[in-house]
């Protein structure tokens, strides 16, 4: 087990609480109904709660941050939940490098 596979869950127990039905409804309300299925960019994704809420609505989500450990924990955690890695991606990336992706997004989450 490498360093990034250890301590996958510290701080992530709260994710289930954040995504409880009541709070999931609040997260769902953040994404306009006409934009609920599309391409979402989550800048500074943190623990991935908003990325996951957008994913659950049917969106394709690219979640980025400069925090390597956060990305490793998010990938491991959401892999265990069985998410589709093609629809919910966590990447170590600087906001200023997005132009190199040559992609468009329907909505940007920046929290």
């Amino acid at each position: 087990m490498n360093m990034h596979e250890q301590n996958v869950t510290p701080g992530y127990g709260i994710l289930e609480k954040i995504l409880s039905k009541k709070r999931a409804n609040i997260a769902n309300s953040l994404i306009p109904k006409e934009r609920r299925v599309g391409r979402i960019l989550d800048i500074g994704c943190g623990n991935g709660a908003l990325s996951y809420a957008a994913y659950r609505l049917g969106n394709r989500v690219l979640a980025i941050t400069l925090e390597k450990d956060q990305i490793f924990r998010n990938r491991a955690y959401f892999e265990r939940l069985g998410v589709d890695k093609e629809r919910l991606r966590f990447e170590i990336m600087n906001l200023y490098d997005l132009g190199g992706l040559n992609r468009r997004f329907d909505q940007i989450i920046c929290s």
Side-chain angles (χ1 to χ4, degrees), residues 4 7-8 13 26-28 33-35 53 55 57 69 88 93 98 100 107-109:
H4 299 295
N7 301 328
V8 169
I26 293 169
N28 292 347
K33 288 181 182 176
E34 65 274 6
R35 291 288 188 185
Y55 164 84
L57 291 171
D69 289 342
L88 179 57
M93 184 177 292
L98 284 170
Q107 185 168 352
I108 297 172
I109 302 169

Side-chain angles (χ1 to χ4, degrees), residues 34-45:
E34 65 274 6
R35 291 288 188 185
R36 288 214 174 153
V37 178
R39 295 162 306 219
I40 307 292
L41 171 64
D42 185 357
I43 301 169
C45 61

Side-chain angles (χ1 to χ4, degrees), residues 22-111:
K22 182 176 180 181
R23 292 187 185 224
N25 288 337
I26 293 169
N28 292 347
S29 70
L30 296 174
I31 301 174
K33 288 181 182 176
E34 65 274 6
R35 291 288 188 185
R36 288 214 174 153
V37 178
R39 295 162 306 219
I40 307 292
L41 171 64
D42 185 357
I43 301 169
C45 61
N47 69 4
L50 292 177
S51 302
Y52 185 61
Y55 164 84
R56 288 183 48 156
L57 291 171
N59 294 288
R60 297 180 72 83
V61 181
L62 173 60
I64 65 169
T65 186
L66 292 174
E67 300 295 326
K68 293 177 185 179
D69 289 342
Q70 191 76 58
I71 293 297
F72 290 123
R73 284 191 300 264
N74 287 348
R75 285 176 181 165
Y77 180 79
F78 289 107
E79 182 177 326
R80 286 192 304 183
L81 291 181
V83 301
D84 179 351
K85 291 186 220 178
E86 294 298 314
R87 285 192 36 236
L88 179 57
R89 291 183 40 217
F90 291 95
E91 300 293 335
I92 302 163
M93 184 177 292
N94 190 312
L95 167 65
Y96 298 108
D97 295 332
L98 284 170
L101 292 178
N102 200 22
R103 292 178 56 190
R104 292 179 177 253
F105 297 95
D106 299 306
Q107 185 168 352
I108 297 172
I109 302 169
C110 187
S111 56

